[in-house]
Amino acid sequence: MKTLLFHKESDMSLCRKGVLLGWGMLVASLMCVVCVPAVARKKEFRNVKKVVRGFSAIDTAYIEPQHFEFTAMLQTTFTYDIYELRSPGGQSITFSPDVIMKVGPYFGWRWFFLGYTFDLKNIGFSSDKRKQELDLSIYSSQIGVDFYYRRTGSDYKIRDVNLGDDTDMSGLSPLSFDGLSVGITGASLYYIFNHNRFSYPAAFSQSTCQKISCGSWMAGIGYTRNSLDLDYGKLQDAVNSYMGRTDVKLDSGMMFNSVKYYNANVSVGYGYNWVFAKNCLLNASLSAVLAYKRSKGDTNDGVDEFSFNNVNFDGVGRFGIVYNNMRWYVGASAIIHSNNYRKPRFQTNQVFGSMNIYAGYNFGKKKKYRKK
């Protein structure tokens, strides 16, 4: 009996141990189900963080990284715009405003740079002639993104007129013309191939310092939307007033109220940073742009519409010079865009650009650069 009882108790003990073991395995399995995704998420986060840090990876023998978190800057901007309208009949008219000086503050934090400039001559916000510009830029050593919004106002002047038939129109230039208004909104993304040694931000955002001269190929994509509003009636009245008669007519190619341009493009270019003295940098970069353009406009009577699709080569040039000792910086930069639209129904050539003169101060030193 004792022997039998002993075996029964052993069986019961084994049974209890089996149950406990089963519960333990179940709990362990549940813990694995909960913990494995957490570990995976943590690993994924580390990978994302590594990729983000890779955007700012540089060779410190060529580039000195930014020592500060924030920057404040005051910038003066001079802008220039010229538009040439050309008809199939050979008539052409060129418009451009006077060179405009705008002033505004900018503030930067790491990759982000935000600013606003306003025209000193038209500071009243109720004026239809005021110039506006809003830019948001995100810079890193590897890629850059630019968003821009511009409204050039309506205080253009007629700079050149050619109506054919040897008609002398020289007295019509320069004539103030408020029947033209232009706007541009767009975004662009570019990639710097030699980003470890070439610093594009060193020349245009002052977020790093180039220590050794170096160059790099660049490639990018972009999208731009332009609007051009023309008061054809005012333009014809200006011609009639100057000629003293009404028999000189503008070609049908000039007879439109508004045109909208949609521009999707890819670009490739080369930039070079020349360090000509300590803390001093001179940059020049040129890009060829292959653009697919779609435009749509309406004629003077508001009924007839025209549209065209086109592929053209455009160009962009950037130039900059800067002194930057990490705490203070001062410099100048310029950018020039050249766009053209050519179709039998309507042609335009557009050149616009700006030159910036700026001075700024960096503050909020990063922890690793603070003196211990």
Side-chain angles (χ1 to χ4, degrees):
M1 292 291 295
K2 289 183 180 180
T3 302
L4 183 59
L5 180 60
F6 176 79
H7 284 293
K8 287 183 178 179
E9 289 178 350
S10 298
D11 292 341
M12 293 176 65
S13 177
L14 290 173
C15 184
R16 285 195 299 269
K17 290 181 180 180
V19 172
L20 291 174
L21 181 61
W23 278 106
M25 293 177 65
L26 178 62
V27 171
S29 299
L30 292 174
M31 290 180 64
C32 289
V33 171
V34 175
C35 294
V36 169
V39 173
R41 287 194 299 269
K42 188 175 181 179
K43 184 177 180 181
E44 182 179 352
F45 176 77
R46 285 198 301 266
N47 291 336
V48 171
K49 190 175 181 180
K50 184 177 180 180
V51 171
V52 172
R53 286 181 175 178
F55 289 147
S56 296
I58 58 176
D59 184 342
T60 55
Y62 282 77
I63 303 171
E64 183 67 24
Q66 176 63 277
H67 292 188
F68 299 88
E69 296 279 2
F70 306 98
T71 185
M73 183 181 74
L74 182 64
Q75 178 172 289
T76 300
T77 301
F78 300 89
T79 61
Y80 180 77
D81 302 273
I82 180 170
Y83 294 86
E84 181 188 25
L85 308 180
R86 185 176 295 274
S87 71
Q91 293 185 353
S92 65
I93 301 179
T94 301
F95 303 91
S96 71
D98 292 330
V99 175
I100 301 299
M101 184 180 74
K102 297 180 287 185
V103 178
Y106 282 75
F107 179 80
W109 173 70
R110 295 189 179 184
W111 295 351
F112 298 90
F113 217 73
L114 178 64
Y116 181 84
T117 59
F118 54 90
D119 180 7
L120 292 178
K121 292 183 179 180
N122 299 284
I123 197 170
F125 289 99
S126 61
S127 173
D128 291 335
K129 295 183 178 181
R130 69 183 186 275
K131 306 294 188 300
Q132 298 182 34
E133 183 173 343
L134 179 64
D135 298 303
L136 172 62
S137 299
I138 304 173
Y139 293 100
S140 74
S141 61
Q142 189 172 358
I143 63 171
V145 182
D146 295 320
F147 301 93
Y148 44 90
Y149 169 90
R150 298 178 64 194
R151 292 297 178 266
T152 59
S154 57
D155 53 354
Y156 280 80
K157 291 183 178 181
I158 297 175
R159 301 292 182 177
D160 184 69
V161 180
N162 178 14
L163 298 183
D165 299 327
D166 297 324
T167 303
D168 183 12
M169 302 296 295
S170 58
L172 195 60
S173 172
L175 176 67
S176 295
F177 182 71
D178 62 356
L180 179 68
S181 181
V182 179
I184 179 171
T185 304
S188 61
L189 169 71
Y190 62 86
Y191 178 82
I192 301 171
F193 291 94
N194 190 20
H195 54 84
N196 289 328
R197 295 182 175 182
F198 172 84
S199 178
Y200 204 59
F204 296 101
S205 70
Q206 304 81 47
S207 57
T208 60
C209 285
Q210 187 83 44
K211 297 194 289 186
I212 301 176
S213 299
C214 191
S216 177
W217 288 96
M218 296 175 288
I221 58 174
Y223 178 81
T224 303
R225 184 180 64 188
N226 298 66
S227 62
L228 175 64
D229 296 315
L230 175 66
D231 191 324
Y232 165 80
K234 285 186 177 182
L235 183 58
Q236 184 65 68
D237 289 343
V239 173
N240 294 342
S241 177
Y242 172 76
M243 297 297 296
R245 62 182 197 269
T246 60
D247 60 322
V248 179
K249 298 295 183 181
L250 297 175
D251 285 346
S252 59
M254 303 285 188
M255 299 174 61
F256 63 88
N257 290 327
S258 65
V259 180
K260 295 185 183 300
Y261 307 91
Y262 304 91
N263 180 334
N265 62 75
V266 294
S267 63
V268 61
Y270 187 83
Y272 189 80
N273 282 344
W274 176 37
V275 181
F276 59 92
K278 184 179 180 180
N279 299 326
C280 296
L281 174 66
L282 178 65
N283 170 275
S285 63
L286 297 173
S287 296
V289 182
L290 178 64
Y292 170 78
K293 303 170 183 180
R294 179 178 179 272
S295 295
K296 186 175 183 179
D298 60 277
T299 58
N300 186 51
D301 56 17
V303 177
D304 184 24
E305 293 186 349
F306 65 90
S307 64
F308 61 79
N309 301 325
N310 203 0
V311 176
N312 291 112
F313 282 100
D314 297 326
V316 179
R318 296 177 185 263
F319 310 91
I321 184 169
V322 60
Y323 169 81
N324 187 354
N325 65 7
M326 277 297 172
R327 174 66 76 172
W328 295 92
Y329 56 89
V330 60
S333 62
I335 179 170
I336 301 173
H337 297 265
S338 175
N339 298 330
N340 65 86
Y341 302 81
R342 298 180 183 274
K343 280 291 181 177
R345 176 64 175 82
F346 180 75
Q347 297 181 23
T348 70
N349 294 317
Q350 175 188 9
V351 177
F352 66 96
S354 62
M355 182 180 73
N356 303 317
I357 300 174
Y358 55 83
Y361 178 75
N362 294 317
F363 59 97
K365 185 169 285 190
K366 296 179 179 179
K367 186 177 180 179
K368 64 180 179 179
Y369 295 109
R370 297 172 188 169
K371 293 183 180 179
K372 296 181 180 180

